[in-house]
Amino acid sequence: MALGANSMRCGEFRTSYRQDSTIFPTPMSRNFAIAGVLLLMVSPVFLQPYHLNILIQIGYMGIAALGLNILVGFSGQISLGHAAFFGFGAFASAWINSSFGIPVILAIPLAGVLTTAVGMIVGIPAARIKGLYLAIATLAAQYILEDFFNRAVWFTGGSAGSLANPLSLFGYQMTTDTRYFYVVLAFVVVMYLLGTNLIRSRDGRALVALRDHYLSAEIMGINLTKYRILAFGISSFYAGVGGALFAHYLGYVSAESFTILLSIQFLGMIIIGGLGSIMGTLMGTAFMVLLPEVMEGGVGVIADFMPGIEQGLAYIKEMAIGLAIVLFLIFEPEGLAHRWQLTKAYWKLYPFSY
Amino acid sequence: MIGKSLTSIATVAAFAALSSTAMAADEIPVGHLAAYTGPTSAVGKIYGQGIEDAIAYINDNGGIDGRMINKDTVDYSYAAPRAIATYKRWTSGLNPVVIQGWGTADTEALVQFVARDEIVYMSASYSGHLTDPTGKSPKTEKAAPYNFFYGPSYSDGCRAMVAWAKQDWEDKGMSGTPKFVHMGDNHPYPNAPKAACQDYAESQGFEVLNPIVYSLKPGDAKGQCLSLEDAGADYAYLANTSGSNISLLKSCATVGVDTQFVTNVWGFDEEAVDAAGEAGDGIVFPVGAARWGADVPGMETIKAISRMSDSSGEKSRALHYMRGVCSVYFMRDAMKRAAEGDGITGPNVKAALESMEGHVPAELEGVCLPHTWTPENHRGTTKVMVYQNEYNGGDFRFNRLTTIDLPRRDDWLGY
């Protein structure tokens, strides 16, 4: 199976380690990625605001989900507090922008840095505890931060929330979906390239070693405490940037957006997409964002045929989302990224696939 | 030949374009943000039905000078971010002239948005923060030029409760300083009247205790009741909606607290009586419109409106329904006035509302309270009717105790 998925076309070969660790294994995959970004760049011309809205959602959620995947999928830890970091980034960016007059475009990465600091503090217990115990420790962080959002009036506006100014660049206000789409797209490309490169670096390999066998990693000289906390920091940076993008898109930040439910959704995204897969993260995010929308449409179609059951359909929709996730985990436990590999292999080896 | 067919296609296209714009111009777009689900759904469903029925009734009876109201209803589950997202969607599609909104968190968050987009926002949030259109009052945090609501503000409702409590204390011949406590969730809606009302209670000679927090989501509240008992409060103001208040009242009955409970306009209604049972006996609350079945001229219209969603006409509606209908009728009258002038646009509807002085919608005489809005003052009414629930073993009565008329002080705007 793996042979089919990773095998290269005739005439493609590698002669150095450097070539073996390029971001795109084949010229074809690189061309496809570039074409994909170009296609997205022209897509606002064809798409309606509703579709752009969904793409923007996939964008900022995808950035945050990648952070969680680096923590869970690559370094083998767990966090149930990712939504709180996402929220912290959102509040921080609005706060930096409105209190210090720093332009939004700079406030977004700064919010990421602030969130990194918070994430590293929360990650300190990770130096000592693992597994379910770590999950509960991060759950505590989720609740502490949520309560902080509700009380820290100077920072978050308290329970009333705070307004986030729109992003403006070169005199243009990025208030429309079309304009903001490009901002999010640029951030997605940059953050995903950074993420991919991180995994190819010395630090990235240390994280993976930590995940696969922490004892061996330690014997090889990897500082476990440092890398565990670093993983939390990087993960929070992504969450913070994603949250900041969300804040300036909606224009309003309120504590109620960042509940434990969102944390679980983030986990769902990376599990469905594929743990330890960069591309899978984006696929999983797209799946989780699109599923309710598709169900909504499906429910509308059914309602046209059976008008009497509209009331019940809202519940059917919720249940169907749950069911889809369960079925996914049964039939594709390795995530969408794996399914994508299989599909590619099928075409590559056609008609001799097995 | 080609030229001819091209011309005809162009003509058809132009005609289609014209007719579609004509259609859009005929209808008046109105957004309705409802809370049919979420923590405030118990009262949200009643109020939202009032809005729906009133708009349907107006459309069935010729609309506004022949123009229909094109209403889009969205249930936002009391989640402010969802309300903002809906608002953004509306401003890039529906382009509503008026929005009938709901909660305090979302209404207050949208204040600057609606002012920028010039959309009249009539909320079911009666937060005192929405009453200053100019921002001149020292207590105002931000001006709210496009915000209106029907009924006494939360702050005024609470002040009226304090005024009644003072009277009650004297009538009972009690001596010493009565103790007052504000209870509610840490959320913009319960917080809205907190400062203003505590201020007023202090000025009326009450000792104001530290506020007690209990959740908007119904759940056990015995811990809060124990704090209440320890603090020895004589009067406790409940700032949450009925669903949450029922569970608090029951918890406090179990603990055996003998505090006199007073609440806000959303804090108690006919549908809460059975659920609260004995525990709800004696609770005092403000009422912002005539009750269902009251002997007033406008009740016939209310009954006709109610039939829009209840063809049997037998269903009785709780307090909030009437306020929903009143909110829509004030909107209708403002739109009518605007239509007579320069047309139905946000600024014109706002100006029309601000020209109302002691106004009551004609068909709802006796149901809706007279309202006065001016360009400097959006505190529509200062009259608060005070009612008390008498449980009476299930055969309950709502007794009208008094009507408090608060001063129309300028420094109370936005507060």
Side-chain angles (χ1 to χ4, degrees):
Chain A
M1 210 152 50
L3 177 81
N6 294 326
S7 63
M8 289 183 289
R9 276 163 199 280
C10 200
E12 286 169 0
F13 54 88
R14 292 149 182 170
T15 52
S16 69
Y17 185 70
R18 193 183 184 76
Q19 282 176 338
D20 201 35
S21 63
T22 61
I23 296 181
F24 301 109
T26 61
M28 182 78 118
S29 62
R30 186 178 59 224
N31 293 341
F32 261 108
I34 294 171
V37 172
L38 287 178
L39 187 70
L40 282 172
M41 284 180 79
V42 295
S43 65
V45 180
F46 313 106
L47 294 179
Q48 306 203 331
Y50 169 74
H51 301 118
L52 281 177
N53 170 285
I54 288 176
L55 285 177
I56 290 171
Q57 271 190 57
I58 294 173
Y60 60 69
M61 296 288 241
I63 291 175
L66 179 59
L68 190 63
N69 212 345
I70 289 171
L71 184 76
V72 180
F74 287 103
S75 71
Q77 301 181 85
I78 181 111
S79 171
L80 288 178
H82 208 62
F85 299 133
F86 185 76
F88 192 89
F91 281 119
S93 186
W95 176 69
I96 290 169
N97 171 248
S98 52
S99 308
F100 305 104
I102 295 174
V104 174
I105 192 71
L106 295 177
I108 292 172
L110 275 177
V113 172
L114 269 188
T115 316
T116 308
V118 174
M120 286 169 103
I121 293 168
V122 170
I124 290 174
R128 289 283 180 138
I129 51 181
K130 292 199 302 276
L132 285 175
Y133 299 92
L134 181 60
I136 298 302
T138 55
L139 183 66
Q142 165 80 36
Y143 281 113
I144 291 168
L145 280 173
E146 250 185 79
D147 196 57
F148 173 74
F149 295 155
N150 271 317
R151 285 170 201 278
V153 178
W154 58 275
F155 182 62
T156 64
S159 56
S162 59
L163 294 175
N165 295 321
L167 197 158
S168 51
L169 215 54
F170 312 118
Y172 288 102
Q173 287 233 323
M174 303 288 174
T175 42
T176 64
D177 282 357
T178 313
R179 287 180 183 175
Y180 205 77
F181 171 77
Y182 288 106
V183 175
V184 173
L185 181 63
F187 269 97
V188 168
V189 170
V190 170
M191 296 300 273
Y192 269 74
L193 278 178
L194 275 178
T196 318
N197 276 318
L198 172 79
I199 302 310
R200 301 193 307 146
S201 71
R202 178 189 158 85
D203 291 331
R205 287 192 298 275
L207 292 179
V208 173
L210 192 80
R211 171 193 71 188
D212 289 346
H213 201 253
Y214 74 95
L215 203 57
S216 315
E218 195 169 21
I219 290 167
M220 285 169 73
I222 291 170
N223 183 341
L224 294 190
T225 307
K226 176 186 152 192
Y227 278 105
R228 279 186 177 142
I229 295 177
L230 186 70
F232 265 94
I234 295 169
S235 149
S236 310
F237 180 75
Y238 276 88
V241 170
L245 284 171
F246 160 74
H248 296 288
Y249 177 56
L250 192 60
Y252 167 73
V253 207
S254 142
E256 61 197 297
S257 316
F258 315 116
T259 57
I260 176 87
L261 204 67
L262 183 62
S263 289
I264 307 241
Q265 260 182 335
F266 278 129
L267 276 176
M269 284 173 197
I270 60 168
I271 292 170
I272 285 174
L275 287 171
S277 163
I278 303 271
M279 189 168 62
T281 309
L282 207 51
M283 290 175 165
T285 311
F287 183 86
M288 285 293 263
V289 172
L290 287 174
L291 191 60
E293 307 290 335
V294 171
M295 290 292 171
E296 188 82 56
V299 160
V301 171
I302 301 172
D304 286 344
F305 289 111
M306 291 180 277
I309 56 166
E310 268 164 349
Q311 282 292 319
L313 282 176
Y315 300 104
I316 295 173
K317 187 186 107 188
E318 300 292 326
M319 283 190 279
I321 293 173
L323 185 69
I325 293 172
V326 171
L327 289 178
F328 221 91
L329 292 180
I330 293 172
F331 293 107
E332 193 49 273
E334 285 176 76
L336 283 169
H338 183 241
R339 176 59 51 184
W340 173 242
Q341 296 283 356
L342 292 183
T343 316
K344 269 205 306 197
Y346 175 81
W347 288 107
K348 239 177 220 173
L349 304 172
Y350 188 82
F352 302 114
S353 60
Y354 44 90
Chain B
M1 185 65 193
I2 292 173
K4 199 173 178 185
S5 61
L6 265 184
T7 336
S8 60
I9 289 171
T11 319
V12 168
F15 187 75
L18 267 179
S19 62
S20 69
T21 47
M23 281 263 286
D26 266 334
E27 294 188 328
I28 307 164
V30 169
H32 177 203
L33 261 181
Y36 295 147
T37 54
T40 61
S41 61
V43 289
K45 279 185 237 168
I46 302 167
Y47 183 88
Q49 194 63 57
I51 302 264
E52 294 289 312
D53 290 354
I55 291 178
Y57 184 78
I58 289 170
N59 278 348
D60 269 14
N61 290 277
I64 290 158
D65 294 341
R67 290 172 67 185
M68 298 293 132
I69 295 175
N70 171 22
K71 162 207 58 121
D72 186 20
T73 305
V74 173
D75 172 18
Y76 80 111
S77 297
Y78 205 59
R82 212 185 285 183
I84 314 283
T86 306
Y87 176 81
K88 287 186 74 174
R89 193 161 55 73
W90 275 341
T91 48
S92 64
L94 181 71
N95 286 317
V97 178
V98 177
I99 293 174
Q100 291 282 349
W102 177 250
T104 303
D106 28 297
T107 305
E108 290 189 3
L110 280 170
V111 161
Q112 287 164 16
F113 291 76
V114 295
R116 184 192 65 199
D117 301 332
E118 301 185 322
I119 297 170
V120 172
Y121 201 97
M122 301 190 74
S123 56
S125 162
Y126 307 157
S127 165
H129 304 149
L130 304 169
T131 53
D132 185 3
T134 59
K136 282 182 197 152
S137 167
K139 296 279 179 25
T140 306
E141 278 182 30
K142 53 188 172 191
Y146 275 83
N147 285 85
F148 295 85
F149 56 80
Y150 167 84
S153 75
Y154 294 147
S155 305
D156 286 340
C158 186
R159 286 181 187 120
M161 293 298 109
V162 170
W164 170 82
K166 190 186 177 195
Q167 194 60 46
D168 178 63
W169 186 258
E170 284 164 5
D171 287 351
K172 283 183 183 155
M174 309 284 276
S175 58
T177 314
K179 291 177 185 163
F180 172 84
V181 65
H182 175 282
M183 296 180 75
D185 204 344
N186 179 24
H187 197 272
Y189 150 59
N191 284 342
K194 191 152 85 181
C197 191
Q198 289 182 342
D199 219 21
Y200 184 73
E202 230 160 43
S203 76
Q204 297 296 305
F206 283 80
E207 181 190 342
V208 177
L209 306 172
N210 280 334
I212 297 173
V213 174
Y214 70 109
S215 171
L216 260 173
K217 293 170 188 142
D220 182 76
K222 289 199 192 66
Q224 283 85 345
C225 294
L226 287 170
S227 317
L228 185 65
E229 200 179 27
D230 285 347
D234 299 299
Y235 296 94
Y237 175 75
L238 305 182
N240 290 354
T241 53
S242 63
S244 151
N245 287 349
I246 292 165
S247 56
L248 181 104
L249 289 169
K250 297 198 100 162
S251 298
C252 286
T254 312
V255 170
V257 179
D258 56 359
T259 303
Q260 167 68 49
F261 289 104
V262 296
T263 186
N264 69 95
V265 77
W266 301 105
F268 205 76
D269 56 46
E270 290 89 337
E271 295 189 4
V273 170
D274 283 341
E278 271 310 328
D281 186 44
I283 186 168
V284 175
F285 49 95
V287 171
R291 288 191 54 213
W292 177 261
D295 186 18
V296 289
M299 198 42 68
E300 279 314 304
T301 316
I302 291 283
K303 295 225 155 132
I305 290 170
S306 172
R307 271 186 219 110
M308 299 308 296
S309 64
D310 169 41
S311 49
S312 69
E314 283 164 7
K315 193 170 176 179
S316 102
R317 305 284 185 174
L319 301 170
H320 318 299
Y321 186 84
M322 269 55 78
R323 290 205 311 282
V325 172
C326 287
S327 179
V328 170
Y329 267 75
F330 274 96
M331 172 186 84
R332 183 205 63 171
D333 286 3
M335 283 177 171
K336 275 191 165 169
R337 284 190 192 189
E340 284 162 16
D342 298 335
I344 302 175
T345 64
N348 291 347
V349 172
K350 166 182 150 75
L353 280 166
E354 285 169 346
S355 72
M356 288 179 178
E357 210 180 319
H359 181 79
V360 180
E363 305 94 319
L364 293 171
E365 193 62 50
V367 175
C368 305
L369 295 172
H371 272 56
T372 304
W373 289 287
T374 72
E376 270 85 44
N377 189 332
H378 282 189
R379 201 162 146 232
T381 179
T382 50
K383 263 198 178 53
V384 186
M385 299 184 276
V386 180
Y387 278 71
Q388 184 169 36
N389 172 36
E390 187 185 341
Y391 183 59
N392 202 15
D395 183 22
F396 72 97
R397 275 198 298 270
F398 281 0
N399 301 320
R400 186 160 170 174
L401 300 178
T402 177
T403 299
I404 306 275
D405 202 355
L406 293 154
R408 207 170 162 90
R409 281 167 57 173
D410 280 350
D411 61 332
W412 278 1
L413 284 179
Y415 187 44

